[in-house]
Amino acid sequence: AICAGVVLSVRGSPELHPNGGIALQLLSIIADSTRYIRLQAMLQSRQVKLDALNVLSMVAPTAAVLLWIPASTLEFSHILADARDLHTSAALVLLSCILACSLNLTSNAFISATSALTVSVSGVLKDIIMITLSVSSLGASVSRGECVGFSITLAASCAYNWIRGQSPNNIRGDVRRSK
C-alpha cells in the first residue's frame, strides 16, 4: 500500500520523466529497503557484534568510491567553472559530507534498535512531513492526485504502526522470534 501511495503521489508530477520515472522511483524504494535489510542483518547478527559506528566505517569507503565516480563526471566541471566560489563549494561539500555521515550513523543506530521495515516506514513519513512543510512555508503546489497518494501512504504507515503495536511478541519496537 505504501508503494501504491508513492506511485499515485508521483504519477502526475511534471518533474517526473514520462517513460521511466515511476519505475525508477519504485526501484529506488526497493534498493533502499534492501540496503536497510542488509544493514539490519549486520547490526543484529548473533555471530558478529557490530555497532552503528563500525558498520558505517565498513560501508562508507565503498560508498564514497562508488559515489565519487558519477559525482566527478557529472558535477566536477560545474564546480570548477565558477572558480571564485571554489572555497564556498568546498565548504558546502564538507558540510554535506558531515551531515550525510551523521544521517547514516543515526540511521544505523535506529535500525539496530528497531527494524529495517520501521526505518523504511519512518522515511516515508519523513518525506510526507517535508512535503507538507514545503507546501506550507514555500508555497509549493501539490495536485489532488499527489494528495491522494500521500493519504494512502500515510494510512498504510499508520496501519503498520498499529499492527506492530498489537503484536504479542513486540520487543524493542519490532516483531522478533522469541529466544
Side-chain angles (χ1 to χ4, degrees):
I2 291 176
C3 285
V6 170
V7 168
L8 284 174
S9 63
V10 300
R11 188 189 67 194
S13 178
E15 294 86 19
L16 191 65
H17 193 273
N19 295 330
I22 291 176
L24 288 175
Q25 182 73 25
L26 291 175
L27 183 63
S28 72
I29 291 171
I30 292 168
D32 200 38
S33 297
T34 302
R35 179 179 69 95
Y36 286 144
I37 291 167
R38 298 305 310 149
L39 281 172
Q40 179 182 354
M42 287 194 312
L43 287 166
Q44 296 176 355
S45 171
R46 292 182 183 166
Q47 291 84 15
V48 179
K49 296 294 180 193
L50 295 174
D51 63 354
L53 189 58
N54 287 335
V55 170
L56 183 63
S57 68
M58 290 170 44
V59 173
T62 305
V65 169
L66 291 175
L67 291 173
W68 176 257
I69 295 167
S72 63
T73 57
L74 299 173
E75 300 291 333
F76 197 61
S77 61
H78 298 294
I79 293 172
L80 290 180
D82 199 8
R84 69 178 191 278
D85 287 337
L86 193 57
H87 294 293
T88 305
S89 296
L92 289 175
V93 167
L94 180 63
L95 178 63
S96 177
C97 290
I98 291 169
L99 289 174
C101 185
S102 300
L103 176 66
N104 284 323
L105 187 60
T106 304
S107 177
N108 290 351
F110 190 41
I111 288 172
S112 68
T114 61
S115 70
L117 184 59
T118 301
V119 174
S120 294
V121 170
S122 299
V124 171
L125 292 174
K126 175 198 63 138
D127 293 342
I128 290 173
I129 291 169
M130 287 179 12
I131 291 167
T132 303
L133 288 174
S134 70
V135 167
S136 64
S137 63
L138 302 175
S141 62
V142 178
S143 72
R144 184 174 293 146
E146 290 171 326
C147 287
V148 169
F150 297 146
S151 299
I152 291 171
T153 303
L154 186 59
S157 299
C158 290
Y160 163 75
N161 285 324
W162 182 80
I163 291 169
R164 188 191 70 197
Q166 299 298 315
S167 172
N169 298 330
N170 195 357
I171 300 171
R172 291 191 321 167
D174 63 339
V175 178
R176 305 215 184 164
R177 287 181 275 148
S178 59
K179 296 179 183 177

